[in-house]
Amino acid sequence: MKCWDEYISYIKDNPKGYWFRRKLYGYGWTPAKPAGWATTLIYLLFILAVVWRPEETNGPFSEQRDVIVFVIAATVLFIVITWRTGEPLKWQWGNKTDKKD
């Protein structure tokens, strides 16, 4: 459980109030605030709603090309939101304090 405790303390140490913190290991973000979790959940629900649609639907997602366009657009929007509300990205391997940020 040491790894889990390290992750939790890293996420809670958020003095600037970022919605998304850098991942503890690797490159990317992880939700750190309720707004970040809500954004992630809304993104996932939208993707599921677009991809798992009934075949007989004649709505806005009636063709495969439309589905791909909507998924790409939603993903780009999600990345823009995480970029603007998240901690600046860099490769990270563990919880090392960095005084440059």
Side-chain angles (χ1 to χ4, degrees), residues 41-51 61 70-71 73-74:
L41 181 65
I42 289 168
Y43 167 73
L44 290 174
L45 290 174
F46 178 78
I47 295 299
L48 289 175
V50 169
V51 173
F61 312 119
F70 277 98
V71 168

Side-chain angles (χ1 to χ4, degrees), residues 3-50:
C3 184
W4 182 253
D5 294 337
E6 180 184 17
Y7 172 78
I8 294 297
S9 67
Y10 172 72
I11 292 298
K12 286 184 178 181
D13 181 26
N14 189 3
K16 294 187 179 179
Y18 291 119
W19 288 10
F20 297 90
R21 292 285 314 264
R22 279 191 298 255
K23 288 174 57 177
L24 193 54
Y25 292 93
Y27 192 75
W29 293 284
T30 186
K33 291 283 204 180
W37 284 105
T39 304
T40 304
L41 181 65
I42 289 168
Y43 167 73
L44 290 174
L45 290 174
F46 178 78
I47 295 299
L48 289 175
V50 169

